[in-house]
Amino acid sequence: MSIRFLSVFRRVAPTLLLACAPARAPRSAPVMPPLGQPTVAPLVIAHRGASGHRPEHTLEGYALAVQMGADFIEPDLVSTKDGVLVARHENEIGGTTDVAAKFASRKTRKVVDGDTISGWFTEDFTLAELRTLRAKERLPFRSHAYDGQYAVPTFVEVLALADSLGRRRGRAVGVYPETKHPTYFRSIGLPIEDPLLRALRTHGLDRADAPVFIQSFESGNLRVLSTQTRVRLIQLVSSAPQVTPAALRDIATYAYGVGANTRQIVGEDSAAVPTSLIADAHAAGLRVHAWTLRPEPVFLAKRYRGDPIAEVRELVRLGVDGLFGDYPDQVVTGLRK
């Protein structure tokens, strides 16, 4: 087979596989609720794809998540040396690809956002070099049956896949990109925001009602993005000072919602009463998307006694607007009960 054929086949294979599988009945929740109107049911956001079932951030993992009923797929975005956005959770890719075996001599040490990290970094590789790599499961206690099979996708490929899958099921597949280390990437001359917005505009997605959220832990780049795009922005929060009523009102000046750790919503295992985060955010006019639902004992709070569906039900009862899950099929099951 020619190299061109292999390249095309890799891009369309997830769609072909999905087309051969029985389609799930569509959920009633809208992919993108209109401004000023409540969400009918929480959005199901496939965290890094169906990352509990397949290596994270692969086209195959994203396609499986959609088959399972996810409303949104989440690509974390980092840059290559030649300025192409690819889907990886971090720019250090030693734990998620076979880069160590193929480029052993390229290992280095860098300071990224104040942390000293040793490994292999996307910004040191061209897209052509990254194309030679294959993804692998990051966590030792999850299946490694699919290691070495799937390529590292570009953001443009993720958008094309979402469009294709959405057309097939007759309802848009949302895309929920996160800008990873945007200040760091801008400091080395590889800004993430510019190619991100170009790709969205090319696909007709730079609009307020597009099935897209852009998220970031950094507030500076979101404030700038709020002046450059109509796409809805999500401020990721991870500390108590970020979710005070005053802080939430400030976030509402540039963002549509917040992405909060589940522990910030339900409290730690020792807490008997959930926090007021959802009520405070809603009072400020913000939506709340909770991350990340994972069933393994190392992640699942003890309050749920080993039942991940109980976690879904509690968050729904508290009024959450979206749920990030590594196993989107479990989140969908929890919403149907």
Side-chain angles (χ1 to χ4, degrees), residues 154-216:
T154 67
F155 181 49
V156 169
E157 288 173 335
V158 175
L159 291 177
L161 177 68
D163 180 68
S164 175
L165 297 178
R167 291 176 186 276
R168 177 185 180 269
R169 75 175 185 179
R171 183 167 65 90
V173 172
V175 182
Y176 205 131
E178 178 182 349
T179 59
K180 301 294 293 191
H181 310 295
T183 297
Y184 167 77
F185 274 107
R186 186 166 288 278
S187 74
I188 60 173
L190 294 169
I192 291 175
E193 298 88 348
D194 302 342
L196 166 60
L197 294 182
R198 281 198 302 272
L200 293 178
R201 288 168 186 148
T202 298
H203 285 77
L205 295 172
D206 185 14
R207 59 182 204 273
D209 63 342
V212 178
F213 294 114
I214 299 175
Q215 60 178 328
S216 180

Side-chain angles (χ1 to χ4, degrees), residues 13-291:
T15 306
L16 295 176
L17 292 172
L18 187 57
C20 296
R24 280 184 181 270
R27 295 173 59 245
S28 59
V31 169
M32 181 61 65
L35 281 170
Q37 295 184 19
T39 305
V40 175
L43 299 172
V44 178
I45 306 156
H47 186 241
R48 312 180 197 176
S51 55
H53 299 279
R54 298 290 187 274
E56 63 187 43
H57 294 309
T58 59
L59 294 182
E60 292 76 7
Y62 296 136
L64 179 60
V66 173
Q67 179 184 346
M68 290 175 168
D71 296 304
F72 279 75
I73 54 178
E74 184 220 19
D76 296 326
L77 301 181
V78 294
S79 181
T80 66
K81 184 177 182 179
D82 42 352
V84 179
L85 296 185
V86 294
R88 289 289 90 190
H89 179 58
E90 292 290 346
N91 53 329
E92 198 293 301
I93 54 174
T96 60
T97 72
D98 56 0
V99 66
K102 293 179 177 177
F103 293 95
S105 65
R106 304 277 281 274
K107 187 175 184 180
T108 187
R109 177 175 295 183
K110 298 190 178 191
V111 178
V112 180
D113 292 345
D115 295 323
T116 302
I117 305 168
S118 295
W120 294 261
F121 298 83
T122 58
E123 63 268 27
D124 294 334
F125 294 84
T126 65
L127 178 61
E129 290 173 325
L130 287 181
R131 290 294 198 197
T132 68
L133 304 182
R134 291 298 177 265
K136 66 179 183 179
E137 172 55 47
R138 178 176 53 89
L139 299 173
F141 49 79
R142 288 184 176 169
S143 172
H144 288 255
Y146 297 92
D147 287 5
Q149 297 186 30
Y150 306 140
V152 175
T154 67
F155 181 49
V156 169
E157 288 173 335
V158 175
L159 291 177
L161 177 68
D163 180 68
S164 175
L165 297 178
R167 291 176 186 276
R168 177 185 180 269
R169 75 175 185 179
R171 183 167 65 90
V173 172
V175 182
Y176 205 131
E178 178 182 349
T179 59
K180 301 294 293 191
H181 310 295
T183 297
Y184 167 77
F185 274 107
R186 186 166 288 278
S187 74
I188 60 173
L190 294 169
I192 291 175
E193 298 88 348
D194 302 342
L196 166 60
L197 294 182
R198 281 198 302 272
L200 293 178
R201 288 168 186 148
T202 298
H203 285 77
L205 295 172
D206 185 14
R207 59 182 204 273
D209 63 342
V212 178
F213 294 114
I214 299 175
Q215 60 178 328
S216 180
F217 277 103
E218 293 189 22
S219 61
N221 77 309
L222 288 182
R223 290 178 189 273
V224 172
L225 281 170
S226 71
T227 69
Q228 298 175 332
T229 180
R230 294 169 291 176
V231 170
R232 299 177 187 190
L233 308 178
I234 303 293
Q235 177 68 65
L236 297 174
V237 294
S238 58
S239 65
Q242 292 178 295
V243 293
T244 63
L248 291 169
R249 287 193 296 271
D250 179 58
I251 290 172
T253 63
Y254 62 88
Y256 172 81
V258 293
N261 190 307
T262 57
R263 297 299 200 277
Q264 293 176 281
I265 297 170
V266 301
E268 297 297 335
D269 284 339
S270 58
V273 180
T275 73
S276 63
L277 189 153
I278 291 179
D280 293 340
H282 285 173
L286 295 166
R287 299 293 171 90
V288 179
H289 297 165
W291 50 271

